[in-house]
Amino acid sequence: MIKSFPPVTIEAARLGKPTNICSVTQAAEFLFMKWPIYDGPRLKIARQLCFDALEGEAGTAEARAAFIDAAKEANIFHDYLKESA
């Protein structure tokens, strides 16, 4: 199950461009396989909540919010609303 959510844009240095993450599945894959830092409290929470959401034990919105927090912790969150202000 994909469990889509509104896009979250991150600056993925390994990919060389902004990247949209649009589902719990994509978020979990990125958190476990491509994340730029190896430790952090928000990273651990996001990984757990994405896993829980995939198992049906947490909500998609909760996993998305945790992913955004982890992206901010890793300094890769791209906030287009902040830029346009």
Side-chain angles (χ1 to χ4, degrees):
M1 184 175 286
I2 293 176
K3 301 197 178 221
S4 298
F5 56 60
V8 176
T9 304
I10 57 173
E11 294 291 335
R14 291 181 185 174
L15 301 177
K17 61 182 178 178
T19 301
N20 286 324
I21 303 298
C22 303
S23 71
V24 175
T25 303
Q26 284 181 331
E29 179 182 318
F30 206 91
L31 286 164
F32 282 98
M33 305 298 286
K34 301 174 186 173
W35 206 249
I37 62 174
Y38 297 105
D39 197 22
R42 290 187 173 111
L43 172 60
K44 290 176 185 175
I45 291 168
R47 284 178 172 167
Q48 185 62 54
L49 280 171
C50 283
F51 178 76
D52 290 348
L54 291 171
E55 294 291 314
E57 297 174 10
T60 302
E62 189 177 13
R64 180 181 185 271
F67 182 80
I68 290 171
D69 286 345
K72 288 177 179 178
E73 176 181 69
N75 201 31
I76 62 169
F77 180 66
H78 197 282
D79 189 351
Y80 286 111
L81 295 176
K82 190 175 182 182
E83 279 185 7
S84 64

